[in-house]
Amino acid sequence: MFPTYRESERPRCPFCEEPFGRPPEAGPRSEGDFYKWLCPCGAIGAYDATGHNLGEALMEAIVFACDDDWDKALSMESEKDYEIRYLDSYRAAEHRVLGGRATPKSGLAAFVFVKLKVAKDAE
Ligand SMILES: [Zn+2]
């Protein structure tokens, strides 16, 4: 049972264009508790159900990408060590991205994606 929507409104990873599924409906249980997942392309997605805490969601995504190593995460530099891409104007009820019509007050959710530029070594 999928809603009908235009292909352009399907939520996709901003790095690899891979469509992703609906995040859990429940919002963050507490601050600093964002739903995160690993895209097949290696990017980390973080879901901000409110659309207002993207800075925190971003930080969590970076820490997640660093295997929960806060020291490493805090030493990383944007653009040098990782790339950030945003996907906003997300309407969770329809699992749909509304292109260009959202305003900061529209109450729509948003995602932030982080991709490390350096390949993670196994050791
Ligand atoms: Zn991806």
Side-chain angles (χ1 to χ4, degrees):
M1 293 285 291
F2 290 101
T4 56
Y5 40 47
R6 289 195 294 277
E7 194 61 20
S8 64
E9 294 178 330
R10 182 191 295 269
R12 295 171 185 276
C13 169
F15 286 99
C16 67
E17 302 289 309
E18 182 77 14
F20 59 84
R22 184 191 292 260
E25 207 50 57
R29 286 184 299 277
S30 60
E31 268 189 61
D33 184 16
F34 298 92
Y35 174 69
K36 298 177 286 295
W37 75 98
L38 178 64
C39 180
C41 75
I44 307 293
Y47 174 49
D48 175 12
T50 68
H52 297 299
N53 297 314
L54 276 172
E56 290 167 44
L58 168 64
M59 194 63 227
E60 284 214 6
I62 295 167
V63 173
F64 188 87
C66 293
D67 294 325
D68 288 331
D69 184 338
W70 276 89
D71 289 336
K72 182 179 171 188
L74 292 170
S75 72
M76 305 260 280
E77 289 176 40
S78 171
E79 300 309 318
K80 176 166 160 272
D81 298 314
Y82 56 86
E83 260 186 273
I84 304 164
R85 291 189 192 173
Y86 295 97
L87 183 65
D88 54 17
S89 305
Y90 173 66
R91 193 186 288 279
E94 297 155 18
H95 190 58
R96 200 154 74 105
V97 174
L98 307 178
R101 276 175 286 160
T103 68
K105 290 189 174 131
S106 59
L108 296 170
F111 300 89
V112 57
F113 288 75
V114 173
K115 192 168 189 181
L116 300 189
K117 288 194 172 183
V118 286
K120 265 200 298 183
D121 293 323
E123 297 301 315

